[in-house]
Amino acid sequence: VLVNKNKSLQSVHYHDEDKDNFIRLSKVLRRNTVKNVLQHPTATINNSSFWGVDLGEKYWGDNFISVTSDTNVNYSVLDEKEICFNPSRANVGSFGINMSGYKVSVSSAYPVYKVFNNDYLPEYIYLQLMHNPEVKEDIITRCFGTVRQSLGVDDFLKIQVPVLNLTSQKEIVSQTVERINLINESRADLANHLEKTYGFIDE
């Protein structure tokens, strides 16, 4: 029986060696703790949209007012291309990067990070966190908790992602963005087709 609940039996807390050709997030990301005094719109972090950041109205719809506070001044600012995650849902991929082109705010429970290392693109880091099986396994291993698995900020920065030159990173990001744009355009085209064919149906 583990007497001290603050201790962990997970091997990663005792055997956490640097992997060849990988870099820890602590050498790439720096935490931002800017409060939302300018009242930027509220967003949420999720694992259902590709970039993981959606405005409250889009994500919650008509329920938005009931699930957020009247004022979001105590929320954290998530600036353009900053990365954020939900600690209690990191094990299921609840990470996000702000690709909206403007500042939004997120719950103060969600840590916000900015890439300070000029050798790395924010989009590349986010894509590694979301889609690299080895990195995802690293995340799951670092989540800890008896009731709900949670990823602490210290453990988050210990996560390792592959080292890749900027040219290769830009190519990966460019190809990914191109495909996402094509998907979005196809969805818009389908919506237009359905509207023209069937019209709007009042609910």
Side-chain angles (χ1 to χ4, degrees), residues 51 99 123 172-182:
W51 297 115
M99 299 292 286
E123 302 96 319
I172 289 173
V173 171
S174 176
Q175 291 177 352
T176 301
V177 170
E178 180 180 345
R179 284 165 171 77
I180 289 298
N181 289 341
L182 285 174

Side-chain angles (χ1 to χ4, degrees), residues 145-164:
T146 54
V147 178
R148 174 176 288 185
Q149 298 291 305
S150 184
L151 179 64
V153 293
D154 291 337
D155 284 318
F156 171 68
L157 291 177
K158 293 176 183 176
I159 292 168
Q160 302 181 59
V161 299
V163 172
L164 206 62

Side-chain angles (χ1 to χ4, degrees), residues 98-196:
N98 183 6
M99 299 292 286
S100 67
Y102 52 84
K103 296 178 181 180
V104 299
S105 66
V106 294
S107 168
S108 58
Y110 301 165
V112 174
Y113 295 88
K114 182 179 183 65
V115 171
F116 72 87
N117 188 330
N118 293 329
D119 291 331
Y120 290 88
L121 298 176
E123 302 96 319
Y124 169 77
I125 297 299
Y126 171 77
L127 292 172
Q128 289 294 327
L129 291 171
M130 289 298 295
H131 301 290
N132 185 319
E134 188 171 354
V135 177
K136 291 169 67 176
E137 180 63 29
D138 193 4
I139 293 169
I140 292 173
T141 302
R142 295 180 188 282
C143 291
F144 174 71
T146 54
V147 178
R148 174 176 288 185
Q149 298 291 305
S150 184
L151 179 64
V153 293
D154 291 337
D155 284 318
F156 171 68
L157 291 177
K158 293 176 183 176
I159 292 168
Q160 302 181 59
V161 299
V163 172
L164 206 62
N165 63 62
L166 264 179
T167 300
S168 298
Q169 290 180 48
K170 289 177 180 177
E171 184 176 356
I172 289 173
V173 171
S174 176
Q175 291 177 352
T176 301
V177 170
E178 180 180 345
R179 284 165 171 77
I180 289 298
N181 289 341
L182 285 174
I183 290 173
N184 290 336
E185 289 172 4
S186 296
R187 287 174 176 167
D189 181 60
L190 175 60
N192 290 333
H193 165 72
L194 294 175
E195 179 182 343
K196 292 177 180 178

Side-chain angles (χ1 to χ4, degrees), residues 59-75:
Y59 188 75
W60 287 299
D62 294 338
N63 296 320
F64 173 58
I65 298 300
S66 66
V67 298
T68 188
S69 57
D70 292 334
T71 174
N72 59 3
V73 68
N74 290 321
Y75 281 30

Side-chain angles (χ1 to χ4, degrees), residues 6-144:
N6 293 319
K7 298 293 184 180
S8 170
L9 295 178
Q10 292 173 291
S11 62
V12 70
H13 293 291
Y14 305 99
H15 304 286
D16 190 11
E17 299 177 353
D18 292 338
K19 296 185 287 189
D20 291 338
N21 299 316
F22 276 69
I23 186 171
R24 293 190 187 268
L25 294 184
S26 60
K27 297 180 179 179
V28 179
L29 301 178
R30 179 177 295 125
R31 189 171 179 183
N32 268 0
T33 55
V34 180
K35 289 298 181 183
N36 188 39
V37 294
L38 297 180
Q39 295 282 276
H40 300 292
T42 299
T44 186
I45 306 301
N46 62 81
N47 62 354
S48 56
S49 62
F50 188 82
W51 297 115
V53 177
D54 288 311
L55 288 179
E57 291 88 348
K58 179 179 179 181
Y59 188 75
W60 287 299
D62 294 338
N63 296 320
F64 173 58
I65 298 300
S66 66
V67 298
T68 188
S69 57
D70 292 334
T71 174
N72 59 3
V73 68
N74 290 321
Y75 281 30
S76 299
V77 173
L78 183 66
D79 208 339
E80 185 177 4
K81 295 190 178 180
E82 288 186 337
I83 294 170
C84 186
F85 71 95
N86 180 342
S88 63
R89 289 182 56 79
N91 60 329
V92 293
S94 193
F95 291 84
I97 180 171
N98 183 6
M99 299 292 286
S100 67
Y102 52 84
K103 296 178 181 180
V104 299
S105 66
V106 294
S107 168
S108 58
Y110 301 165
V112 174
Y113 295 88
K114 182 179 183 65
V115 171
F116 72 87
N117 188 330
N118 293 329
D119 291 331
Y120 290 88
L121 298 176
E123 302 96 319
Y124 169 77
I125 297 299
Y126 171 77
L127 292 172
Q128 289 294 327
L129 291 171
M130 289 298 295
H131 301 290
N132 185 319
E134 188 171 354
V135 177
K136 291 169 67 176
E137 180 63 29
D138 193 4
I139 293 169
I140 292 173
T141 302
R142 295 180 188 282
C143 291
F144 174 71

